Amino acid sequence: MIYFVIGFVVLFVLMLFVGINDPTGGTSMKGWYYQYLAVSVVFDVLVVFALFYQQLELTHLLLGAAAGSATVLGIHVSHHIGEENEKLRHTKAEKQNH
């Protein structure tokens, strides 16, 4: 269980530094996309390694990282839901004013 928690925390903190909704630290959008791509490729390679060599601790660590990734994705999607709700409110307000 501890490896799961460590994996979750490590990935969640990593994504906070990379930027969940927008790039952080002056990174360009293209650089931000490459950072996310690098994280996903490294994750995939580690999964193959863990399964091939039957590394139980690494597998638990990666399960935690996957859960952290799902949480980060949920936060990212909720940000977009908020943006869409704001657009909808703005559109309704414009229709009422006309």
Side-chain angles (χ1 to χ4, degrees):
M1 180 67 168
I2 189 70
Y3 291 106
F4 176 88
V5 172
I6 291 169
F8 180 92
V9 169
V10 165
L11 188 90
F12 192 81
V13 169
L14 175 66
M15 291 297 102
L16 286 176
F17 281 115
V18 169
I20 294 175
N21 294 318
D22 294 309
T24 59
T27 304
S28 68
M29 288 301 284
K30 188 175 181 180
W32 187 53
Y33 298 146
Y34 280 122
Q35 287 173 342
Y36 265 88
L37 179 62
V39 168
S40 65
V41 169
V42 168
F43 178 83
D44 291 344
V45 168
L46 288 173
V47 166
V48 170
F49 177 84
L51 294 175
F52 186 77
Y53 290 105
Q54 299 179 359
Q55 297 290 318
L56 186 59
E57 293 85 6
L58 182 57
T59 301
H60 289 174
L61 188 73
L62 293 170
L63 282 172
S69 178
T71 301
V72 167
L73 179 61
I75 292 168
H76 181 77
V77 168
S78 68
H79 173 77
H80 287 292
I81 290 170
E83 287 177 340
E84 291 300 316
N85 287 340
E86 186 61 34
K87 286 179 188 176
L88 183 60
R89 279 191 288 268
H90 184 52
T91 301
K92 285 182 180 179
E94 284 181 354
K95 286 181 181 179
Q96 288 177 350
N97 292 335
H98 287 83

